[in-house]
Amino acid sequence: MTGGGLLVAGTTSDAGKSVVTAGICRWLVRQGVKVAPFKAQNMSLNSFVTREGAEIGRAQAMQAQACRIEPTALMNPVLLKPGGERSSQVVLLGRPVGEMSARGYHGGRQQQLLGTVLDSLAQLRATYDAVICEGAGSPAEINLRRTDIVNMGIARNASLPVLVVGDIDRGGVFASFFGTVALLSREDQELVAGFLVNKFRGDVSLLEPGLDMLHGLTGRHTYGVLPFRHGLGIDEEDGLAVSLRGAVRESAVAAPVGEDVLRVAVCAVPLMSNFTDVDALAAEPGVVVRFVDRPEELADADLVVVPGTRGTVRALQWLRERGLADALRRRAAEGRPVLGICGGFQILGEHIEDDVESRAGRVDGLGILPVRVRFAREKKLERPVGEALGEPVEGYEIHHGVADVRGGEAFISDGRGHGLDGCRVGQTWGTHWHGSLESDGFRRAFLREVAAAAGRRFVPAPDTSFAALREEQLDRLGDLIEQHADTDTLWRLIESGAPRGLPFVPPGAPA
């Protein structure tokens, strides 16, 4: 028996599709429904590694957590990782299969992947009671409809009802809802079941006349008005502003346990990947995290983080052009804390041999850590565990760079004195492991070292649980759906599909 399904589409990018999908997933699992998330195609530098060593978007990993299941490659069969303005690495079922231009991808390759996408969705629907699918951008992107495999393309092929989410905080939500439907073909419109308003501030009764008129114009109901809530962003696709709104970052307003706060500056390098690594730092009361792009902004920072990037050589050049490279070298020489993660770790080394990502050949690094990096064609995708600063630590690795460490101390060990990853010299640390700061004991030990080196009377809170904060956040999303959406109708859509006889809204898609 095939499980039910629903496609959550949006009037625009960042309308709230990822959040609404996670909220529906958490609401369903609390009702005892066996549910899974799905996104046919994701464009993101914010990725995650599953237990079987597959790379998928972090949004789908978080949605799987909302479902209380382990994420798998089936949940995000196609991942595009931008490497510049016009090309992306294509990751298929968790493994990279090559670089492709946007024109080449939309010119035919995308449609070739439809079979893989539909097979992945079918496998999930055969296993779960319900699969909540997330669209991308807008379903009314008429220039891309012919090759679409993530919005109406997947809805039509899998007979999925479609819920269109609109962000009313931006304004123009009624026009966006109406226009989205009116630009779809008759066949596509038959699957658009209704609307969901997101991020509403104020008295819902003032909105109701507009919702009634929208129903009169389209024949479709609005199945909920979700109120605006601070801090409900999850690990979404690749918008830095999205991550900055997350609840974990906002917890920095909590009073510090010690006498001082700890200031963290994150270099906002180009093609930044997995910037969510610093969310765990911002989860600590008294830790203030900000993204910076000028050397003077490093002056009062107690810790500087050089994050991961999809363009290591490009990021290195950017740091030099802006004077940040010299500022980082001065910090290291003065014994002031610096942490490099993945591409940031590689940048801190002596040199990089890159014939894979940038094809720049040999490029000098910042020379802060005794590490030489060679880019291999095979990408490393692992979920390692180890020990650092006397505490257990786990993370995930996503990189082509192979580090040859020629000195310093190992940063992360196997607990028996053998180095596993990274390097430390003085107060400069580097590691390939994303997500390591989510290990609570290790994070506290690391922050204690940073505070001591910075001369700050900062004390990490003894009871901050990053995992618990994530669960609390997902429960808040589930509460939003349960309290402000028409859940009876949502379940009927998931179980039975779009209502029959929905009217056509002219003019429809262009011929």
Side-chain angles (χ1 to χ4, degrees):
M1 180 178 175
T2 299
L6 174 72
L7 176 68
V8 179
T11 56
T12 62
S13 295
D14 197 24
K17 296 183 292 290
S18 297
V19 166
V20 168
T21 299
I24 294 174
C25 287
R26 179 48 63 100
W27 160 66
L28 284 171
V29 81
R30 293 195 308 206
Q31 309 310 307
V33 177
K34 189 179 178 186
V35 60
F38 179 79
K39 183 160 185 173
Q41 172 198 295
N42 200 344
M43 178 172 279
S44 179
L45 290 173
N46 219 13
S47 59
F48 184 76
V49 178
T50 67
R51 292 288 180 197
E52 71 267 32
E55 184 179 10
I56 66 171
R58 272 195 69 103
Q60 280 60 65
M62 287 294 294
Q63 289 161 357
Q65 185 177 342
C67 298
R68 297 180 179 145
I69 58 175
E70 276 290 327
T72 72
L74 294 176
M75 297 171 186
N76 180 205
V78 181
L79 173 64
L80 306 178
K81 302 194 73 176
E85 294 296 324
R86 297 186 179 181
S87 68
S88 295
Q89 183 181 67
V90 180
V91 179
L92 181 62
L93 288 173
R95 296 288 172 182
V97 295
E99 297 279 336
M100 187 164 289
S101 68
R103 180 179 291 274
Y105 183 71
H106 290 288
R109 176 61 169 162
Q110 184 178 33
Q111 192 66 21
Q112 294 170 9
L113 298 175
L114 180 60
T116 301
V117 163
L118 290 173
D119 182 62
S120 298
L121 177 57
Q123 289 186 57
L124 290 174
R125 294 182 78 178
T127 306
Y128 292 90
D129 302 328
V131 178
I132 309 303
C133 308
E134 180 187 343
S138 163
E141 290 169 348
I142 54 179
N143 57 316
L144 302 176
R145 176 62 185 93
R146 184 176 61 83
T147 57
D148 170 48
I149 64 170
V150 66
N151 289 308
M152 300 313 299
I154 191 76
R156 283 271 292 278
N157 278 280
S159 299
L160 294 171
V162 178
L163 180 69
V164 180
V165 178
D167 178 359
I168 197 169
D169 200 45
R170 296 182 173 193
V173 75
F174 293 114
S176 298
F177 281 145
F178 181 85
T180 296
V181 178
L183 280 175
L184 300 179
S185 69
R186 185 181 299 273
E187 295 79 7
D188 285 352
Q189 286 192 25
E190 288 173 355
L191 293 172
V192 178
F195 312 110
L196 186 75
V197 175
N198 192 27
K199 303 179 189 175
F200 179 70
R201 305 173 192 248
D203 185 346
V204 176
S205 67
L206 299 176
L207 192 65
E208 287 171 353
L211 301 179
D212 291 340
M213 285 186 273
L214 182 66
H215 175 248
L217 289 165
T218 67
R220 289 155 176 86
H221 290 285
T222 298
Y223 296 128
V225 177
L226 307 185
F228 186 96
R229 292 286 187 269
H230 286 286
L232 286 183
I234 63 169
D235 296 351
E236 301 187 56
E237 291 191 356
D238 53 6
L240 182 57
V242 172
S243 183
L244 286 170
R245 288 203 304 274
V248 172
R249 294 182 187 279
E250 290 181 3
S251 68
V253 299
V257 175
E259 296 179 44
D260 289 342
V261 298
L262 207 64
R263 296 173 176 83
V264 179
V266 184
C267 297
V269 297
L271 297 174
M272 193 189 314
S273 61
N274 291 71
F275 48 78
T276 48
D277 282 333
V278 298
D279 281 349
L281 293 178
E284 289 286 348
V287 175
V288 180
V289 177
R290 67 183 189 274
F291 287 81
V292 303
D293 60 5
R294 297 193 301 268
E296 54 268 26
E297 292 177 295
L298 306 188
D300 67 342
D302 303 306
L303 169 67
V304 174
V305 178
V306 187
T309 171
R310 171 82 166 86
T312 304
V313 171
R314 177 176 168 184
L316 183 55
Q317 180 182 359
W318 180 88
L319 289 167
R320 287 190 167 115
E321 289 171 350
R322 291 180 172 260
L324 286 160
D326 289 338
L328 286 167
R329 277 192 286 258
R330 284 195 299 272
R331 280 189 68 91
E334 293 166 0
R336 302 179 67 199
V338 176
L339 171 64
I341 302 174
C342 200
F345 169 38
Q346 297 165 7
I347 284 168
L348 298 178
E350 294 173 358
H351 68 249
I352 297 166
E353 293 273 358
D354 181 10
D355 295 318
V356 175
E357 191 176 78
S358 67
R359 297 183 176 87
R362 177 169 168 150
V363 177
D364 288 338
L366 298 188
I368 299 172
L369 293 176
V371 177
R372 299 177 184 179
V373 176
R374 174 185 56 82
F375 273 61
R377 298 205 173 273
E378 187 74 19
K379 182 187 282 190
K380 187 171 186 178
L381 297 168
E382 291 186 2
R383 289 275 292 275
V385 295
E387 181 181 291
L389 304 179
E391 297 285 348
V393 60
E394 58 183 284
Y396 55 100
E397 294 187 67
I398 308 171
H399 56 93
H400 287 276
V402 178
D404 177 12
V405 180
R406 300 192 165 205
E409 309 169 40
F411 187 10
I412 300 172
S413 74
D414 61 2
R416 297 187 298 273
H418 302 108
L420 282 181
D421 178 77
C423 179
R424 175 184 182 177
V425 173
Q427 296 303 320
T428 300
W429 297 266
T431 177
H432 271 131
W433 292 19
H434 293 290
S436 61
L437 293 165
E438 295 178 19
S439 299
D440 296 328
F442 164 69
R443 181 180 65 253
R444 294 182 195 119
F446 177 70
L447 289 176
R448 281 193 290 269
E449 289 229 5
V450 168
R456 296 285 186 191
R457 289 172 293 183
F458 168 84
V459 179
D463 55 354
T464 301
S465 167
F466 187 76
L469 285 171
R470 284 297 199 207
E471 277 296 302
E472 178 186 318
Q473 193 176 33
L474 292 169
D475 275 332
R476 291 175 67 202
L477 294 177
D479 292 343
L480 266 188
I481 298 298
E482 188 169 339
Q483 295 166 13
H484 301 282
D486 183 350
T487 53
D488 289 341
T489 302
L490 285 182
W491 178 245
R492 283 199 299 272
L493 292 177
I494 292 167
E495 197 173 36
S496 306
R500 295 186 181 276
L502 290 169
F504 172 69
V505 180

